[in-house]
Amino acid sequence: KLYFMIGLPTETLEDIEGIAALGQQVVNRYYANPNKPKGKGVTVTVSVSCFVPKPFTPFQWEPQDTVEELEEKQRHLVASVKTKKISLHWHDARTSFLEGVLARGDRRLARVIEEAYCRGCTLDSWAEHFDFDKWMAVFQDCNLDPAFYANRRRSYDEILPWEHLDYGISKEFLKRESLRAQEGITTPNCRQSCSGCGAARWKGGVCVERV
């Protein structure tokens, strides 16, 4: 089994194709192994989730891919798989969109959640219960645009709904990490080099361990 995520910032179609290519490499390695079980084939399961930007991360300012963009990438991935030895699974882009809305929402979403519940939106993690159109109708009736929360790029100067919470990591550090990610620069492991995230002030964890 291989697990991947699509919709990450700076992602290209070549990155999508790379998922299929890696699955194919696993298949090829299996059949190239002289010690493989005789007469037994292989199935490589490739599971692909959709990226949902979250608060308190370097990507908290990034727009989430739209449902249409995610579905297009999923179709491109399907077209990139050239063997029945790869079993492809992916998340419903509409579910991921709603997750993106709720992940970075503000207090106005309280009314939406309550109204959706009153209209029967429960057990939404199960596909047979999830009613995307009903959720969208609730947003419309509450005069809120879900894309405002999920698909909008935020400026670094915007005051975010969760900024009144303090968990140690500084906003300046997240900004730096965001810029490093855009440039494709890897941040060293905390045990290798301190990046000055701010968590050391809690006086715990790897930041203050004595080896």
Side-chain angles (χ1 to χ4, degrees):
K1 292 185 178 181
L2 302 175
Y3 297 90
F4 297 92
M5 187 176 290
I6 63 172
L8 287 158
T10 74
E11 183 178 69
T12 66
L13 290 181
E14 288 185 356
D15 296 326
I16 303 296
E17 295 162 8
I19 295 174
L22 182 56
Q24 186 64 57
Q25 288 181 41
V26 175
V27 172
N28 296 343
R29 286 293 185 93
Y30 175 83
Y31 286 106
N33 180 9
N35 298 320
K36 70 179 185 299
K38 188 175 181 180
K40 186 176 181 180
V42 65
T43 298
V44 177
T45 300
V46 175
S47 296
V48 184
S49 61
C50 302
F51 175 66
V52 178
K54 297 292 178 60
F56 306 118
T57 71
F59 293 151
Q60 64 181 359
W61 296 280
E62 293 291 329
Q64 183 181 16
D65 278 356
T66 65
V67 172
E68 293 74 22
E69 289 170 335
L70 289 170
E71 289 179 341
E72 176 58 33
K73 289 180 177 181
Q74 290 168 343
R75 287 191 290 270
H76 188 73
L77 177 57
V78 171
S80 300
V81 174
K82 306 300 183 182
T83 175
K84 294 182 179 179
K85 302 295 182 181
I86 296 177
S87 176
L88 195 59
H89 303 272
W90 57 88
H91 288 190
D92 186 340
R94 299 172 306 165
T95 303
S96 297
F97 169 69
L98 185 57
E99 291 175 2
V101 174
L102 298 178
R104 292 185 292 175
D106 54 31
R107 67 186 65 189
R108 289 175 293 180
L109 288 189
R111 181 185 171 199
V112 173
I113 295 170
E114 181 181 18
E115 181 62 26
Y117 171 78
C118 291
R119 297 189 192 184
C121 292
T122 58
L123 303 176
D124 288 327
S125 292
W126 284 265
E128 62 269 26
H129 295 285
F130 180 59
D131 192 331
F132 181 73
D133 292 337
K134 185 177 290 185
W135 273 99
M136 294 303 102
V138 172
F139 275 103
Q140 183 173 1
D141 293 344
C142 292
N143 295 315
L144 286 178
D145 180 8
F148 174 83
Y149 299 104
N151 308 129
R152 176 177 62 90
R153 181 180 299 279
R154 294 149 174 81
S155 72
Y156 291 131
D157 296 328
E158 180 174 338
I159 298 176
L160 304 174
W162 50 89
E163 283 190 27
H164 64 288
L165 302 172
D166 182 7
Y167 70 115
I169 307 300
S170 70
K171 186 175 181 178
E172 288 304 314
F173 169 75
L174 295 178
K175 287 182 183 178
R176 293 198 305 270
E177 286 297 283
S178 173
L179 295 172
R180 288 172 66 89
Q182 293 172 25
E183 296 178 14
I185 302 174
T186 302
T187 298
N189 183 286
C190 294
R191 296 182 186 275
Q192 296 175 312
S193 175
C194 177
S195 298
C197 72
R201 64 190 176 92
W202 294 126
K203 307 301 182 184
V206 298
C207 299
V208 295
E209 284 180 358
R210 297 293 182 266
V211 180

